[in-house]
């Protein structure tokens, strides 16, 4: 029999102990929101987030997401100083490149807009691509930019562990194996949550449950429009001469990204026809049950072709996958839920959840504690 929850009353309950939920909980506790409790149906930090690529990207599709990306990197860079808890990251910068005229025009437009929003970047040619990122040959590059401010976290699990340590250090709690089975709403206001291990009275709930966010919202009779779909990546065995400080690469015409990883290369990308998986239909589903298909990654490797010759020549050491939560407008869902006072969301990653979660968590905490966020989240 499971032990009762260690607490029955809290100032805030965050549902989901992934990057979104842990970021929001850490920032709430750091901003003086009182007793914060993170609940997760599984072991904390065990689902999609540790399977992420760990990439941070300053060039975004609009100003709001750019500000959040800038904020995220600032949080990660300053985390150890702020908390005294180690959080390693690599200041690698990144290359954004395209090999077709259509995609070149796309990144040129994105780069021009990003520069006006304060993103430092440098236009480079094919030779510059090979010089900055020797694992790329520069073959067929029509347009490329170097973004020196981009970073990556080598092992995403380290960020989750750092958040959890900081949350506990601030006197709040992270509790695993505690699925939320009910959300109490009285006269349009949140009053608490229920789990098989007991109930917690609270006026504030943040739905940060990732692939389970839609089901959590339904407990409060709220529709959270997210569709979980599969995402996969691989890590090769070590490659001679590979440096961890070589930059991230994003090749937009192949919908693929790469970075140094464990002495080799990581590669992943957006599937053109991804498998949709809805955990609401399988109460026993966990991220380890996500079906993997190396054929998808083989196709991405083929699409990158002679641009990344080491990728096809090096055996794969790890193949992993998890679920993205996609939204109808490709924007995050972050902020208060209309009609239910005290219910907030932090979900809808659209493929950038790990990297933007630090900024989202900060903005949501500022909004809750101070009445408004430094970054305007109205578009989300």
């Amino acid at each position: 029999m499971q032990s009762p929850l260690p607490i029955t009353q809290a100032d805030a309950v965050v549902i989901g102990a992934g990057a979104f939920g842990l970021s929001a909980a850490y920032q709430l506790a750091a901003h003086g929101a009182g007793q914060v409790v993170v609940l997760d149906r599984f072991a904390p930090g065990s689902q999609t987030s540790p399977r992420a690529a760990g990439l941070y990207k300053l060039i975004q599709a609009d100003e709001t997401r750019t500000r959040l990306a800038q904020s995220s990197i600032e949080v990660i860079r300053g985390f150890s100083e702020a908390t005294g808890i180690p959080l390693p990251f690599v200041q690698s910068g990144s290359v954004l490149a395209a090999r077709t005229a259509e995609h070149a025009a796309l990144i040129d437009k994105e780069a021009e807009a990003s520069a006006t929003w304060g993103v430092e970047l440098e236009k480079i040619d094919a030779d510059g691509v090979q010089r900055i990122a020797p694992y790329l040959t520069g073959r067929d590059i029509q347009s490329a930019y170097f973004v020196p401010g981009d970073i990556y976290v080598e092992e995403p699990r380290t960020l989750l562990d750092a958040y959890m340590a900081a949350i506990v250090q601030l006197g709040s709690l992270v509790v695993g194996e505690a699925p939320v089975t009910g959300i109490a709403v009285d006269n349009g206001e949140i009053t608490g949550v229920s789990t098989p291990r007991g109930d917690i009275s609270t006026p504030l709930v943040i739905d940060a449950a990732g692939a389970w966010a839609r089901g959590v919202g339904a407990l409060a009779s709220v529709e959270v429009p997210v569709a979980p779909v599969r995402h996969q990546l691989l890590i090769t065995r070590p490659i001679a001469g590979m440096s961890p400080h070589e930059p991230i690469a994003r090749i937009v015409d192949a919908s693929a990204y790469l970075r140094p990883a464990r002495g080799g290369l990581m590669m992943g990308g957006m599937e053109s026809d991804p498998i949709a998986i809805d955990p609401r239909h399988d109460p026993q589903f966990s991220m380890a049950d996500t079906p993997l298909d190396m054929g998808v990654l083989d196709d991405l490797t083929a699409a990158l072709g002679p641009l990344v010759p080491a990728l096809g020549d090096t055996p794969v050491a790890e193949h992993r996958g998890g679920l993205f939560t996609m939204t109808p407008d490709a924007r995050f869902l972050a902020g208060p839920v209309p009609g239910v006072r005290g219910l907030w969301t932090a979900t809808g990653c659209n493929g950038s959840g790990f990297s933007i979660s630090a900024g989202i968590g900060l903005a949501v905490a500022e909004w809750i504690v101070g009445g408004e966020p430094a970054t305007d989240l109205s578009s989300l």
Side-chain angles (χ1 to χ4, degrees):
M1 182 176 178
Q2 287 185 311
S3 62
L5 292 175
I7 193 168
T8 58
Q9 187 168 358
D11 296 292
V13 171
V14 180
I15 303 174
F20 275 118
L22 293 172
S23 169
Y26 160 63
Q27 293 291 352
L28 280 172
H31 281 73
Q35 180 69 68
V36 182
V37 180
V38 185
L39 300 176
D40 199 286
R41 65 189 298 117
F42 302 103
S46 66
Q47 295 302 297
T48 285
S49 293
R51 294 167 169 81
L55 312 179
Y56 290 74
K57 177 175 180 279
L58 286 168
I59 293 182
Q60 297 287 334
D62 57 48
E63 185 172 5
T64 297
R65 281 175 280 186
T66 301
R67 300 300 180 204
L68 288 169
Q70 292 167 327
S71 173
S72 285
I73 290 177
E74 289 174 8
V75 168
I76 299 304
R77 291 177 64 89
F79 184 87
S80 293
E81 182 177 355
T83 65
I85 297 166
L87 175 58
F89 63 89
V90 181
Q91 180 79 48
S92 64
S94 73
V95 170
L96 179 67
R99 297 174 295 176
T100 71
E102 179 184 7
H103 290 96
L106 173 67
I107 68 170
D108 288 344
K109 182 178 180 180
E110 285 192 338
E112 181 180 1
S114 296
T116 68
W117 300 325
V119 176
E120 181 185 355
L121 50 83
E122 175 190 355
K123 178 84 171 178
I124 56 177
D125 59 16
D127 290 339
V129 168
Q130 187 176 32
R131 174 177 52 81
I132 292 170
Y135 66 86
L136 302 175
T137 64
R139 178 84 172 268
D140 299 325
I141 295 295
Q142 293 203 22
S143 184
Y145 294 85
F146 178 60
V147 186
D150 282 353
I151 66 174
Y152 70 85
V153 172
E154 171 72 15
E155 301 294 344
R157 175 76 204 194
T158 60
L159 174 62
L160 309 177
D161 288 341
Y163 276 145
M164 286 189 273
I167 289 165
V168 172
Q169 183 172 272
L170 289 164
S172 287
L173 298 173
V174 181
V175 182
E177 311 298 338
V180 173
T181 53
I183 297 178
V185 181
D186 182 17
N187 198 27
E189 295 190 6
I190 293 291
T191 60
V193 301
S194 300
T195 82
R197 296 170 57 188
D199 301 340
I200 300 176
S201 298
T202 184
L204 178 69
V205 168
I206 299 179
D207 180 358
W212 291 266
R214 195 169 183 180
V216 167
L219 297 175
S221 300
V222 167
E223 175 65 23
V224 179
V226 295
V229 300
R230 180 181 67 189
H231 177 74
Q232 305 176 89
L233 60 81
L234 62 78
I235 299 174
T236 72
R237 292 182 183 175
I239 298 169
M242 191 73 201
S243 166
H245 298 287
E246 291 192 37
I248 301 158
R250 297 179 175 89
I251 314 302
V252 296
D253 52 273
S255 296
Y257 59 79
L258 306 109
R259 73 159 168 90
R262 303 174 189 169
L265 274 174
M266 173 187 290
M267 187 276 289
M270 301 297 286
E271 299 186 26
S272 59
D273 187 22
I275 292 175
I277 298 174
D278 191 341
R280 294 179 302 169
H281 303 321
D282 181 3
Q284 304 305 315
F285 176 82
S286 74
M287 214 52 60
D289 299 322
T290 303
L292 302 181
D293 180 1
M294 182 58 80
V296 172
L297 296 175
D298 289 341
D299 289 344
L300 286 171
T301 298
L304 290 167
L307 181 63
V308 197
L311 189 62
D313 295 339
T314 310
V316 172
E318 181 180 351
H319 174 201
R320 68 186 188 223
L323 298 181
F324 283 164
T325 45
M326 310 302 286
T327 61
D329 63 0
R331 296 173 184 264
F332 299 98
L333 287 174
V337 174
V340 184
R341 184 174 177 82
L343 181 61
W344 293 63
T345 58
T347 187
C349 76
N350 293 284
S352 299
F354 189 90
S355 64
I356 301 287
S357 60
I360 293 260
L362 174 59
V364 166
E366 290 172 337
W367 199 347
I368 290 169
V369 175
E372 62 179 4
T375 300
D376 180 10
L377 299 188
S378 57
S379 66
L380 311 186

